[in-house]
Coordinates of all heavy atoms in Angstrom, one line a residue:
E601 N 31.9 19.1 -21.9 CA 33.0 19.4 -20.9 C 32.4 20.2 -19.7 O 33.2 20.4 -18.8 CB 34.1 20.2 -21.6 CG 34.8 19.4 -22.7 CD 34.1 19.4 -24.0 OE1 33.4 20.3 -24.3 OE2 34.3 18.3 -24.7
A602 N 31.2 20.6 -19.8 CA 30.7 21.6 -18.8 C 30.5 20.9 -17.4 O 30.2 19.7 -17.3 CB 29.4 22.1 -19.3
D603 N 30.6 21.7 -16.3 CA 30.2 21.3 -14.9 C 28.7 21.1 -14.9 O 28.2 20.2 -14.3 CB 30.7 22.3 -13.9 CG 32.2 22.3 -13.7 OD1 32.8 21.4 -14.2 OD2 32.7 23.2 -13.1
F604 N 28.0 22.1 -15.5 CA 26.5 21.9 -15.7 C 26.1 22.8 -16.8 O 26.8 23.7 -17.3 CB 25.8 22.3 -14.4 CG 26.0 23.8 -14.0 CD1 25.2 24.8 -14.5 CD2 27.0 24.2 -13.1 CE1 25.3 26.1 -14.1 CE2 27.2 25.5 -12.7 CZ 26.4 26.5 -13.2
I605 N 24.9 22.6 -17.3 CA 24.3 23.3 -18.4 C 23.1 24.0 -17.9 O 22.1 23.4 -17.4 CB 24.0 22.4 -19.6 CG1 25.1 21.6 -20.1 CG2 23.3 23.2 -20.8 CD1 24.8 20.3 -20.8
Y606 N 23.0 25.3 -18.0 CA 21.8 26.1 -17.7 C 21.0 26.1 -19.0 O 21.4 26.5 -20.0 CB 22.1 27.5 -17.3 CG 20.9 28.3 -17.1 CD1 20.0 28.1 -16.1 CD2 20.5 29.3 -18.1 CE1 18.8 28.9 -16.0 CE2 19.3 30.0 -18.0 CZ 18.5 29.8 -16.9 OH 17.3 30.5 -16.8
V607 N 19.7 25.6 -18.9 CA 18.9 25.4 -20.1 C 18.0 26.6 -20.2 O 18.1 27.4 -21.2 CB 18.1 24.1 -20.0 CG1 17.3 23.9 -21.3 CG2 19.0 22.9 -19.8
M608 N 17.1 26.8 -19.3 CA 16.1 27.9 -19.3 C 15.4 27.9 -18.0 O 15.4 26.9 -17.2 CB 15.1 27.7 -20.4 CG 14.1 26.5 -20.2 SD 12.9 26.3 -21.5 CE 13.9 25.5 -22.8
H609 N 14.9 29.1 -17.6 CA 14.1 29.2 -16.3 C 14.8 28.6 -15.1 O 15.9 29.0 -14.8 CB 12.7 28.6 -16.6 CG 12.0 29.2 -17.7 ND1 11.7 30.6 -17.9 CD2 11.4 28.6 -18.8 CE1 11.1 30.8 -19.0 NE2 10.9 29.6 -19.6
N610 N 14.2 27.5 -14.6 CA 15.0 26.9 -13.5 C 15.4 25.4 -13.9 O 15.6 24.5 -13.0 CB 14.0 26.8 -12.2 CG 12.8 25.9 -12.5 OD1 12.3 25.8 -13.6 ND2 12.3 25.3 -11.4
L611 N 15.6 25.2 -15.2 CA 16.0 23.9 -15.7 C 17.5 23.8 -16.0 O 18.0 24.6 -16.6 CB 15.2 23.6 -17.0 CG 15.5 22.2 -17.6 CD1 15.1 21.1 -16.7 CD2 14.7 22.1 -18.9
Y612 N 18.1 22.7 -15.4 CA 19.5 22.5 -15.6 C 19.8 21.0 -16.1 O 18.9 20.1 -15.9 CB 20.3 22.7 -14.3 CG 20.3 24.1 -13.8 CD1 19.3 24.8 -13.3 CD2 21.5 24.8 -14.0 CE1 19.3 26.1 -12.8 CE2 21.6 26.2 -13.6 CZ 20.5 26.8 -13.0 OH 20.6 28.1 -12.6
I613 N 20.9 20.8 -16.7 CA 21.4 19.5 -17.0 C 22.8 19.3 -16.4 O 23.7 20.2 -16.6 CB 21.4 19.2 -18.5 CG1 20.0 19.2 -19.1 CG2 22.2 17.9 -18.9 CD1 20.0 19.1 -20.6
V614 N 23.0 18.1 -15.8 CA 24.3 17.8 -15.3 C 24.7 16.5 -16.0 O 24.0 15.5 -15.9 CB 24.4 17.7 -13.8 CG1 25.6 17.0 -13.3 CG2 24.2 19.0 -13.1
L615 N 25.9 16.5 -16.6 CA 26.4 15.2 -17.3 C 27.5 14.6 -16.4 O 28.2 15.3 -15.6 CB 27.0 15.6 -18.6 CG 26.0 16.2 -19.7 CD1 26.9 16.6 -20.9 CD2 25.1 15.1 -20.1
T616 N 27.6 13.3 -16.5 CA 28.7 12.6 -15.8 C 30.0 13.1 -16.4 O 30.1 13.2 -17.6 CB 28.6 11.1 -16.0 OG1 28.6 10.8 -17.3 CG2 27.3 10.6 -15.3

Side-chain angles (χ1 to χ4, degrees):
E601 294 80 29
D603 288 347
F604 63 87
I605 304 160
Y606 173 72
V607 184
M608 65 182 80
H609 304 304
N610 63 330
L611 180 62
Y612 290 77
I613 292 175
V614 167
L615 297 171
T616 56

